[in-house]
Amino acid sequence: MTQSGLGGGPHLLRLMNCAAVLQAIRDAGTARLTDVVQATGLSRPTVTAAVSTLIGDGWVEETEAPESDLPRMGRPARVVRFRADARHVLGIDVGPHKVYCAVADLNGNVVTHIRRDVDEPGSYAALLEHVDSTMDLVLDEAGVDRSSLAAVGIGTPGIVDEYRGAVVQAPSVPGWDSLELSRALQDGIPCPVHVENDVNLAVVAERWNGRWGDADDLVLVQWGYRVGAAVLMQGRLHRGAHGAAGEIGFIDLEEEPQGVQAEGLGPLEATAGTSWIFRRARELGDHTSRDAVTVLSAAARGDPLATRVVDEAAARFARGLAPFLAAIDPELVVIGGGITLAGETMLSAVRSQLARRALVVPRLELSSLGDDAVALGAVRLALDHAERRLLDAYSAPDAKM
Amino acid sequence: MTQSGLGGGPHLLRLMNCAAVLQAIRDAGTARLTDVVQATGLSRPTVTAAVSTLIGDGWVEETEAPESDLPRMGRPARVVRFRADARHVLGIDVGPHKVYCAVADLNGNVVTHIRRDVDEPGSYAALLEHVDSTMDLVLDEAGVDRSSLAAVGIGTPGIVDEYRGAVVQAPSVPGWDSLELSRALQDGIPCPVHVENDVNLAVVAERWNGRWGDADDLVLVQWGYRVGAAVLMQGRLHRGAHGAAGEIGFIDLEEEPQGVQAEGLGPLEATAGTSWIFRRARELGDHTSRDAVTVLSAAARGDPLATRVVDEAAARFARGLAPFLAAIDPELVVIGGGITLAGETMLSAVRSQLARRALVVPRLELSSLGDDAVALGAVRLALDHAERRLLDAYSAPDAKM
C-alpha cells in the first residue's frame, strides 16, 4: 500500500478508508480491531493505519478491553472507542418567551442544559442577545469551548427556509420574520448553524425518542400558548412546498375569517391556546389560579371548573384538528406543549370531540418530552449535520471538519 | 446455450431473458433486434430466441422497418413491435349517479368508452347490475372478449381497503359500504379486479396526463355533487393510515358538528356541492336553470346571479380547503369535477377566498380531464397491475398471465 501523500489517488483512498473505519467504530461504540476489519472488509494493515490517523485527529482512542471469562492467549486484543466527547453540539430552542440551550456529546447525550424564561422581547435584536448569553452560560457550565462545537441546531417559531437558514414568517416576534437567523448567530460560532421550525424539531425528537415504535405517519401537535403541528410521512419530515406544512395555529374556521389576532396569535391559537384557557377560567370564576399552568394542573386532578375549561378548549381545538387530520389520515397524533399538564383529562376530551367530527379518529397520545422536545430535536438536527460533515471530512479531499 | 426445458435453472433463465427482451421492446414500442441486444446486454442468439417465444405467445410481432433515407446494404434489419392490442384493460368509474367504462389497449390508448347516467340506485345490487351491463356493452363495442382482459381497475366513492379490494365506508350508496367489490365483480371476469377510491384514481390520471410537469406534491379536489380530494406526496398516492386521507367532503367546520347530511352527503358537500349551488341559484331568483350545470355555465359566461352563487360556494369551499392545505402545504391544487364548468370565474373566486384564510396560497389550476378522470385513472391502475403481471409471468416460473 502506498502511504505517501504524493498522488491524489492513494491519498483520497486513504481518507476514504478512514471514513469507513470511523463509521464502523462509531456504530459499534467500542470495537476490537478484528471487528473493524470484519465490518469494513478492509485489510488489517489498512485498518491499523486508519485507526492511527483517527487517534491522531482525536476521534478515536484506545481503551481497556472488556473483561472476558475466557482464558486469554498471547497479547490482549487492541480495543478502540469512538470519542463521543471529541466535539459537542448545541441544540437551541428559541421563542418569544424562552431560550433553552442544550449541549450534547457526539452520541447525543445531553451534558448540560439551561432554560431561561424571557420577557416578551421588544425586538429580534433583544431576543438574539438572550440566545447569545444563554449559549455562553451553557457552554461555560459544560466546560465546552465554542471552537470545539461541531454543529449548532436551532428551532424557532415560524416558517423557515432551511437552505438559507432564514426565518421567512414569524408573527410572534417583531423583526424575527425575514431574519437570516443562521447568519445572525454565525458570527461568534466557528461551525455551521442549522435552522428549523421548532415544532418540526419536536417531532424529530419524538421519533428519536423511540417511544412510538415504528409509527411512520405521525403528527405532533404542540399545544401551548402557541399551537403548531409537524408532520412525519413515512418517517421523514414533511415540510411542504413552502415550508408551511402543519401550521395548524393559523387555521381560520369561522365564516368570516378572523386573521391574525393580538400578540400575533393565529385564530386557533387565540381561541384554544393557553392564554384563552387562563382567561376562560377567570371568566368562569376561578380567582385563585395565577396562570394557565395552575388551571391545567387542576384539570389533571379532576377539579370541576378547570375540567370544564379544558373540555371547552378541547372542543375548539378538535374543530381545527379534524379538518387537518382529514387531509393526512395519520396513524398517530402526539400532543405536546403546555397543555399536557392536563394529562388524560385533556386527551380523553380531545378524543371524544374528534369522534363527533372526524371520519376516522387516529391513536392519540401525550408527548413525554415536555419542554425538552424542541431543544432535543435541535440536538438531533445538529448531530445529523455533524456526522455527515465528520464523514465527509475523510471522504472528500478538501473538506475539513 | 441450453434450450431444453429439462433443467429448472436454464428454463427460468430463459424466461427471465424473455422478460428483459419484452421490457425493452415495450419501452421502445418498435425496435430493431440490434436495439434490443444493446438495451438488454444479452447476446443476439438469446434475444432471437426470446423474440421467437414472445411472438409465439402473442406479445410481439414482426413489422415493417421504418423508411430510411440511407442506402441499404444487404437484408433489411428485423424489426419487432410490442402488440399493445394483445390484451386489453378495463377502467371503471362507478358512483351513485353514473357508470363509466373505458377499454384501453396495453399502451393505455382508450379504444372505446361508455358513460351512463344511472338513477339513484336503491341498493348496491342494482348498482352492480349497472356496472355489469355497461361492461358488457363497452366490451361488445370494442370487440374485446372478457377472456382477453389483462386487468380491471375500478374507482368508487368511499374509503377502500385496496388489499382486500373492498369498500369500507361509502355513505352515498346503500349497502355499498362493507362491500367486497373486487369479489362481487370477479365472477364474470377471468382477471384480477383492482379497487381504489375514485378521487385517488383521478389524481393518478392527472399525473399520468403529464400536464403538471414535475409537481410532486399535488392535491386534486373533485368538486361536484360530492366533494373529495386525493393527495400525491413526492409523486406517490398518499392513502393515509386508514385509507381516509383526503376526505375533505366530510370536514365538519361548525361549532356544533353537523354530521352526515341528507343523501349521505358530508357537511362540506352539503354546503358547497353542486346540489347546494342549484338550490341557492333558485333561492336567489333563478327560475330558468334546470340544474347546477346550467348555473355553472352561466357563471363561466359572467352572468351576475350565477357568478354570485359561485362566489358564495367558493367562500364555503375555501373555508374547508384552507385547514386541509394547512396540513400539507402542497405545491399545486388541481380542481376537477362538475364545478369546472364555471371555469376561471370559480378559480379566481377560490383563489381570493383562500388569500383571506390561508398562510400560503398554493398554485390553483383547473383539471382538463373532466368527467374522464376517474375512468382514466382506473385504466392506469389496471395497466400498472397488468404490466407487472406480464413481466412476472416471464420472470417467475409458475406465474401465468
Side-chain angles (χ1 to χ4, degrees), chain A residues 31-34 44 48 51-52 55 62-63 65 76-80:
Chain A
R32 293 173 308 163
L33 251 53
T34 320
R44 192 171 178 102
T48 306
V51 164
S52 295
I55 289 175
E62 297 211 45
T63 180
R78 247 186 109 190
V79 176
V80 288

Side-chain angles (χ1 to χ4, degrees), chain B residues 92-95 153-157 181 194-198 201 374 378 381:
Chain B
I92 305 175
D93 170 11
V94 58
I154 181 163
T156 163
L181 185 54
H194 304 280
V195 184
E196 182 56 272
N197 168 271
D198 52 2
L201 289 182
V374 177
L381 176 71

Side-chain angles (χ1 to χ4, degrees), chain B residues 1-3 14 17-18 21 33-34 36-37 40-53 78:
Chain B
M1 195 184 64
T2 309
Q3 283 262 353
R14 192 157 53 94
N17 290 338
C18 281
V21 168
L33 250 53
T34 320
V36 179
V37 167
T40 58
L42 297 169
S43 72
R44 193 171 177 101
T46 304
V47 167
T48 306
V51 164
S52 296
T53 303
R78 246 186 112 189

Side-chain angles (χ1 to χ4, degrees), chain A residues 36 54 134 148 181 206 221 250 268 313 319 353 394 396:
Chain A
V36 179
L54 292 169
T134 312
S148 103
L181 183 53
E206 288 293 342
V221 190
F250 286 79
L268 193 77
R319 195 174 158 204
Q353 289 293 337
Y394 283 107

